[in-house]
Amino acid sequence: MELVVKAADDKRAEDIVVLEMKGISLVADYFVICHGNSEKQVQAIAKEMKDSAAENELHIKRMEGFDQARWVLLDLGNVVAHVFHREERSYYNLEKLWGDAPTVDVDTIITAQG
């Protein structure tokens, strides 16, 4: 999950949120949610996540929505990343949908060395 957050931050993703989904969803342990302000930025964020995963020998089970770049979903098994275009993020509002999920301190992940 840290790897995905740092990849998003490297491409200047905005409002990165990590929801701990353990015991809430069977899909993943963590949801990483962020957005970009343009289709190109959304694609850059998703590509950086994919490349970082590959460099660390993590398999991406599925990536959807890359060509449209409105909501890109990357399934890394125990982590699912949602990279939204700004307008789509407020429309789908996953943070509210999963409002009972605890959040992880993203600033600690971003500032951690290594």
Side-chain angles (χ1 to χ4, degrees):
M1 171 257 305
E2 291 88 356
L3 182 110
V4 173
V5 169
K6 288 182 179 185
D9 185 59
D10 285 349
K11 291 300 177 185
R12 303 196 187 289
E14 296 198 20
D15 196 14
I16 303 168
V17 174
V18 177
L19 302 178
E20 188 173 331
M21 303 303 290
K22 295 175 187 171
I24 297 171
S25 171
L26 298 175
V27 175
D29 292 341
Y30 296 96
F31 281 0
V32 177
I33 305 166
C34 63
H35 72 266
N37 293 311
S38 69
E39 285 85 359
K40 286 190 182 293
Q41 187 184 17
V42 168
Q43 288 177 332
I45 295 164
K47 185 175 181 331
E48 184 69 17
M49 288 177 175
K50 182 180 177 188
D51 292 348
S52 292
E55 287 170 14
N56 288 276
E57 299 179 7
L58 296 172
H59 176 69
I60 294 191
K61 295 181 177 190
R62 197 164 83 212
M63 182 163 88
E64 295 182 9
F66 186 82
D67 291 339
Q68 298 82 9
R70 302 302 293 181
W71 177 0
V72 180
L73 185 136
L74 295 101
D75 181 353
L76 292 99
N78 67 335
V79 177
V80 173
H82 303 267
V83 184
F84 286 99
H85 190 285
R86 176 184 287 280
E87 292 126 21
E88 308 301 322
R89 182 171 185 174
S90 59
Y91 178 78
Y92 288 104
N93 200 355
L94 292 186
E95 294 95 322
K96 185 175 180 184
L97 179 65
W98 297 103
D100 52 343
T103 58
V104 175
D105 183 2
V106 172
D107 290 334
T108 303
I109 297 169
I110 292 170
T111 58
Q113 296 298 319

